[in-house]
Amino acid sequence: MPCMKRWNPFKKKPPMVAIVRLSGVIASGTRGSLSDQAMAPVIEKAFRRGKPKAVALIINSPGGSPVQSALIGARIRRQSEEKDIPVFAFVEDVAASGGYWLAASADEIFVDRSSVVGSIGVISAGFGAHDFLERHGIERRVHTAGESKSMLDPFRPQKDEDVTRLKSILEQIHESFIDHVKERRGDKLVASDDLFTGEVWVGQKAIEQGLADGLGHIVPVLKEKFGKKVRFRNYGARRSIFQKFGTQLAHDAISGIEERASYARFGL
């Protein structure tokens, strides 16, 4: 009879690394996008379950909401510090804007030679439809209590004071983004006039700017750090039954177009 291996409860298991995928546009309340509410149980389970030696983030995001980026990043840092577990980020196609905010939450960042990294800036986009309404004889009626309550109404002509106020808001958010990157990357960053202008860098150039630590893919890098027998456990946000069976097709199609437009800004 073939010999059966005896189970040895004292035999040391190979180290395990938890893997969390952060892929897509960062937004609150949009189905399928990255948000703190959606990712909170995933991130916390990754740090808690099975005593991982490290948590690895696979990042592929063109950015999105500054607040959601900050909330997710802060959650990662809290878990890492409370449980004394290091975090490594691996960038796929892009980690730009809010996507880079997430990457900067890791202790080390690895990129592919063609990964697009950076875009440390803030953007606000909209549209103006007041000429369309006027041509079709449609009157826009807005009544407010408070002179700033109807700022940047897309159905009314743009006002200089509204633009000035918006730029002030964007600059405050930009400063918060810069502070986060400086805090996380510290002396690794090079002194460059372009670093916080919204510019992006590819692969090795991102490393030279101090935005990443090295070229590398997740499996070989983690095997080098934790041994050839390292185990991997994947975590990700679960799709609802509605998403699985396609009952939100119209919504998903619109979200897909918006997400594709976000990636297209980086030539992807």
Side-chain angles (χ1 to χ4, degrees):
M1 294 181 66
C3 293
M4 296 181 65
K5 290 184 178 180
R6 293 183 178 180
W7 177 65
N8 185 351
F10 302 103
K11 185 178 180 180
K12 190 175 181 180
K13 290 183 178 180
M16 185 271 287
V17 175
I19 299 176
V20 177
R21 176 171 285 277
L22 299 172
S23 182
V25 173
I26 304 166
S28 175
T30 302
R31 191 181 301 276
S33 61
L34 293 173
S35 69
D36 183 57
Q37 181 179 11
M39 295 309 303
V42 177
I43 292 168
E44 293 179 8
K45 187 183 293 184
F47 278 94
R48 180 183 69 246
R49 197 171 183 180
K51 297 181 179 180
K53 290 293 184 182
V55 170
L57 310 174
I58 298 178
I59 298 176
N60 195 352
S61 174
S65 163
V67 173
Q68 293 303 312
S69 301
L71 289 172
I72 296 171
R75 187 176 298 278
I76 292 168
R77 291 313 314 153
R78 283 198 304 274
Q79 293 293 316
S80 175
E81 292 165 8
E82 288 173 6
K83 296 177 173 58
D84 194 25
I85 295 174
V87 180
F88 303 98
F90 295 86
V91 179
E92 293 188 331
D93 297 288
V94 59
S97 195
Y100 185 73
W101 186 301
L102 300 182
S105 300
D107 299 299
E108 293 183 52
I109 302 173
F110 295 90
V111 297
D112 181 81
R113 292 184 184 277
S114 299
S115 297
V116 178
V117 177
S119 189
I120 302 170
V122 184
I123 185 172
S124 175
F127 62 90
H130 60 282
D131 287 336
F132 174 83
L133 296 184
E134 186 176 343
R135 283 197 303 269
H136 289 79
I138 301 172
E139 181 184 1
R140 170 73 164 165
R141 296 174 180 173
V142 179
H143 307 280
T144 68
E147 60 183 77
S148 300
K149 191 63 178 176
S150 184
M151 184 179 77
L152 294 174
D153 186 333
F155 300 105
R156 303 179 74 179
Q158 184 170 267
K159 298 178 182 178
D160 291 341
E161 56 267 31
D162 288 352
V163 175
T164 300
R165 193 177 299 114
L166 176 62
K167 286 183 176 179
S168 174
I169 293 171
L170 297 180
E171 287 170 1
Q172 292 175 62
I173 298 172
H174 190 200
E175 285 299 321
S176 178
F177 194 173
I178 293 171
D179 290 343
H180 172 69
V181 173
K182 286 183 175 179
E183 178 186 353
R184 296 299 307 149
R185 300 299 296 172
D187 295 337
K188 295 178 180 179
L189 298 173
V190 302
S192 171
D193 293 335
D194 296 328
L195 198 56
F196 302 120
T197 63
E199 182 63 86
V200 295
W201 290 268
V202 177
Q204 182 62 40
K205 294 294 184 183
I207 297 170
E208 293 170 7
Q209 293 293 321
L211 297 175
D213 297 287
L215 297 173
H217 296 163
I218 186 167
V219 172
V221 168
L222 293 179
K223 281 189 175 182
E224 183 179 346
K225 288 182 176 293
F226 299 102
K228 293 183 178 180
K229 293 185 178 181
V230 64
R231 296 172 296 138
F232 302 107
R233 182 172 288 172
N234 292 285
Y235 295 89
R238 291 185 177 182
R239 294 190 304 163
S240 70
I241 190 171
F242 300 105
Q243 288 176 288
K244 290 179 180 178
F245 290 97
T247 55
Q248 296 290 328
L249 289 178
H251 184 281
D252 290 347
I254 294 172
S255 298
I257 293 170
E258 293 175 345
E259 182 168 334
R260 179 47 47 202
S262 297
Y263 279 100
R265 291 195 296 119
F266 305 101
L268 301 171

Coordinates of all heavy atoms in Angstrom, one line a residue, residues 109 111 113 117 185 187-192 195 201-215:
I109 N 7.2 50.4 -3.8 CA 6.4 50.4 -5.1 C 7.2 49.8 -6.2 O 8.4 50.2 -6.4 CB 6.0 51.8 -5.4 CG1 5.2 52.5 -4.3 CG2 5.2 51.8 -6.7 CD1 4.9 53.9 -4.5
V111 N 7.2 48.7 -10.4 CA 6.5 49.0 -11.7 C 7.0 48.1 -12.8 O 8.1 47.5 -12.7 CB 6.7 50.5 -12.0 CG1 6.0 51.4 -11.0 CG2 8.1 50.8 -12.2
R113 N 8.2 48.0 -16.9 CA 8.9 49.0 -17.7 C 8.0 49.9 -18.4 O 8.4 51.0 -18.8 CB 9.8 48.2 -18.7 CG 11.0 47.5 -18.1 CD 11.9 46.9 -19.1 NE 12.9 46.1 -18.5 CZ 14.1 46.6 -18.0 NH1 14.3 47.9 -18.1 NH2 15.0 45.8 -17.5
V117 N 3.1 56.2 -14.3 CA 3.0 56.5 -12.9 C 3.1 58.1 -12.7 O 3.8 58.8 -13.4 CB 4.2 55.9 -12.1 CG1 4.2 56.3 -10.7 CG2 4.2 54.4 -12.3
R185 N 6.9 59.1 0.6 CA 8.1 58.8 -0.1 C 9.4 59.5 0.4 O 10.5 59.0 0.2 CB 7.9 59.2 -1.6 CG 6.8 58.5 -2.3 CD 7.0 57.0 -2.4 NE 8.1 56.7 -3.2 CZ 8.6 55.5 -3.3 NH1 8.1 54.5 -2.7 NH2 9.7 55.2 -4.1
D187 N 12.7 61.1 1.5 CA 13.9 61.4 0.8 C 14.1 60.7 -0.5 O 15.1 60.9 -1.2 CB 15.1 61.1 1.7 CG 15.2 62.0 3.0 OD1 14.6 63.1 2.9 OD2 15.7 61.6 4.0
K188 N 13.2 59.7 -0.8 CA 13.3 59.0 -2.1 C 13.0 59.9 -3.3 O 13.5 59.7 -4.4 CB 12.4 57.8 -2.1 CG 12.7 56.7 -1.1 CD 11.7 55.6 -1.2 CE 12.0 54.5 -0.1 NZ 11.0 53.4 -0.2
L189 N 12.2 61.0 -3.0 CA 11.8 61.9 -4.1 C 13.0 62.8 -4.5 O 13.8 63.2 -3.7 CB 10.7 62.8 -3.6 CG 9.4 62.1 -3.3 CD1 8.4 63.1 -2.7 CD2 8.7 61.4 -4.5
V190 N 13.1 63.0 -5.8 CA 14.2 63.9 -6.3 C 13.6 65.3 -6.3 O 12.4 65.5 -6.3 CB 14.6 63.5 -7.7 CG1 15.2 62.1 -7.7 CG2 13.5 63.7 -8.7
A191 N 14.5 66.3 -6.2 CA 14.1 67.7 -6.3 C 13.8 68.0 -7.8 O 14.7 68.1 -8.6 CB 15.1 68.6 -5.8
S192 N 12.5 68.2 -8.2 CA 12.2 68.4 -9.5 C 11.0 69.4 -9.6 O 10.0 69.3 -8.9 CB 11.8 67.1 -10.2 OG 11.3 67.3 -11.5
L195 N 7.6 67.5 -10.6 CA 7.1 66.3 -9.8 C 5.7 66.5 -9.4 O 4.9 65.5 -9.5 CB 8.0 66.2 -8.6 CG 7.9 64.8 -7.8 CD1 8.3 63.7 -8.8 CD2 8.8 64.8 -6.6
W201 N 5.3 59.7 -15.6 CA 6.5 59.0 -16.0 C 6.3 57.6 -16.2 O 5.3 57.0 -15.7 CB 7.6 59.2 -14.9 CG 8.1 60.6 -14.8 CD1 9.1 61.2 -15.5 CD2 7.5 61.7 -14.0 NE1 9.3 62.5 -15.1 CE2 8.3 62.8 -14.2 CE3 6.4 61.7 -13.1 CZ2 8.0 64.0 -13.6 CZ3 6.2 62.9 -12.5 CH2 6.9 64.1 -12.7
V202 N 7.1 57.0 -17.1 CA 7.0 55.6 -17.4 C 8.1 54.7 -16.9 O 9.3 55.1 -17.0 CB 6.9 55.4 -19.0 CG1 6.8 53.9 -19.4 CG2 5.7 56.2 -19.6
G203 N 7.8 53.6 -16.2 CA 8.7 52.6 -15.8 C 10.0 53.2 -15.1 O 9.9 53.8 -14.0
Q204 N 11.1 53.0 -15.7 CA 12.4 53.4 -15.1 C 12.4 54.9 -14.8 O 13.0 55.3 -13.8 CB 13.5 53.0 -16.1 CG 14.9 53.4 -15.5 CD 15.3 52.6 -14.3 OE1 14.9 51.4 -14.1 NE2 15.9 53.3 -13.3
K205 N 11.8 55.7 -15.6 CA 11.8 57.2 -15.4 C 11.1 57.5 -14.0 O 11.5 58.4 -13.3 CB 11.1 57.9 -16.5 CG 11.9 57.8 -17.8 CD 13.2 58.5 -17.8 CE 14.0 58.5 -19.1 NZ 15.3 59.2 -19.0
A206 N 10.0 56.7 -13.7 CA 9.3 56.9 -12.5 C 10.2 56.6 -11.3 O 10.2 57.3 -10.2 CB 8.1 56.1 -12.4
I207 N 11.0 55.6 -11.5 CA 12.0 55.2 -10.4 C 13.0 56.3 -10.2 O 13.4 56.7 -9.1 CB 12.7 53.9 -10.8 CG1 11.7 52.7 -10.9 CG2 13.8 53.5 -9.8 CD1 12.2 51.5 -11.4
E208 N 13.5 56.9 -11.3 CA 14.5 57.9 -11.2 C 13.9 59.2 -10.5 O 14.7 59.9 -9.9 CB 15.0 58.3 -12.6 CG 15.8 57.2 -13.3 CD 16.0 57.4 -14.8 OE1 15.7 58.5 -15.3 OE2 16.6 56.5 -15.4
Q209 N 12.6 59.4 -10.6 CA 12.0 60.5 -9.9 C 11.8 60.2 -8.4 O 11.4 61.1 -7.7 CB 10.7 60.9 -10.6 CG 10.8 61.4 -12.0 CD 11.5 62.8 -12.0 OE1 11.2 63.6 -11.1 NE2 12.3 63.0 -13.0
G210 N 11.9 59.0 -8.0 CA 11.7 58.6 -6.7 C 10.2 58.2 -6.4 O 9.8 57.9 -5.2
L211 N 9.4 58.1 -7.5 CA 8.0 57.7 -7.3 C 7.8 56.2 -7.2 O 6.8 55.7 -6.8 CB 7.2 58.2 -8.5 CG 7.2 59.7 -8.7 CD1 6.5 60.1 -10.0 CD2 6.5 60.4 -7.5
A212 N 8.9 55.4 -7.5 CA 8.8 54.0 -7.4 C 10.2 53.5 -7.0 O 11.2 54.2 -7.1 CB 8.4 53.3 -8.7
D213 N 10.2 52.2 -6.5 CA 11.5 51.7 -5.9 C 12.2 50.8 -6.9 O 13.4 50.5 -6.7 CB 11.2 51.0 -4.6 CG 10.6 51.9 -3.6 OD1 11.4 52.7 -3.0 OD2 9.4 51.9 -3.3
G214 N 11.5 50.2 -7.8 CA 12.2 49.2 -8.7 C 11.3 48.7 -9.7 O 10.1 48.8 -9.7
L215 N 11.9 48.0 -10.7 CA 11.2 47.3 -11.7 C 11.0 45.9 -11.2 O 11.9 45.3 -10.6 CB 12.0 47.2 -13.0 CG 12.3 48.5 -13.8 CD1 13.2 48.3 -14.9 CD2 11.0 49.2 -14.2

